[in-house]
Amino acid sequence: MWTVGVSAAWRAAYRRSVRSAFATVPFYRERWALDGRTDPVLVPGRTGTDSGAAPLAEAVHKIIDLVPLAGGTQRIESSRGLGPVLRKARSVTGEALVVVLGDDGVRPPVDLPRGVRCCLVDPDVPAPGVLAELSAALRRGQRVLAIGDDKQLAVFSAALPEDRAYRVESVPRRELDTMDTGPYGVLHDPSLGYLGAIEECGRWHLDWPRVYARSTTGGLAFTLLRQDSPRFVDVLPAGGVRGEIAPCPRHGTPVVLT
């Protein structure tokens, strides 16, 4: 079973997010007032579609309505949460260099541990200066981790000198519908950011202080507990993926099963 503290804190944070969204965010105010939802019930007698969960694509399409009435940003942070999940995935602390692979639209994460540097690399057109810096870091014996999908990691590795490429720690980036058995990996969505990681027990652990998830008839619905704007509450990534949230028998914290 989950520890009492984890279960109570997680559930309480989720309920606060739902009630705040219903009170202040146009997308949820309209949707739940008209259609309802179940967990928790906000409009008695109205159960809503998929227990009140909404497709993520629909929410992003109406992103202006995800901004609270008091104002906020519409900018999606695809690198949100990378720092916390890297600590779970590869115990990243102290001095290290994290290479986030992606195109020009990727922004650097702001939540990496103290002392950890980050650079953004487009593996298809890597800048010579960046490759030189990475090679120098490896030559100095510094820890270097690369975050990306399988294709990005392969292209990036091929661009590095052969005598150093093997020392780069690859951390595969998986979406909810492409989760595998690891042994390493981080769970990511382009709109929600980083949601969790494989821990040493081999299970996909949610970043539960920042991310809530529950099963609905439409699939697994996710809520970002600490993001003020845009607000994502009970949204269904990847078109809706069937699964469940269960306690890890070793750690007593939530894991994703699909």
Side-chain angles (χ1 to χ4, degrees), residues 17 20 61 66 81 85 95 98-99 127 164 168 172 180-181 186 195 202 205 226 232 254:
S17 292
S20 171
H61 181 69
L66 298 182
V85 303
E95 291 192 8
V98 172
V99 182
R164 299 193 185 112
V168 174
D180 58 12
T181 57
V186 288
L195 306 172
H205 278 255
R226 298 187 183 181
F232 290 107

Side-chain angles (χ1 to χ4, degrees), residues 28 50 220:
Y28 306 106
D50 294 330
L220 289 172

Side-chain angles (χ1 to χ4, degrees), residues 178-219:
T178 60
M179 291 166 54
D180 58 12
T181 57
Y184 305 112
V186 288
L187 182 59
H188 180 259
D189 179 84
S191 297
L192 302 179
Y194 291 87
L195 306 172
I198 296 179
E199 293 199 25
E200 71 275 8
C201 62
R203 299 175 180 87
W204 284 94
H205 278 255
L206 280 175
D207 180 21
W208 70 268
R210 298 163 187 83
V211 178
Y212 185 90
R214 67 184 181 102
S215 297
T216 72
T217 54

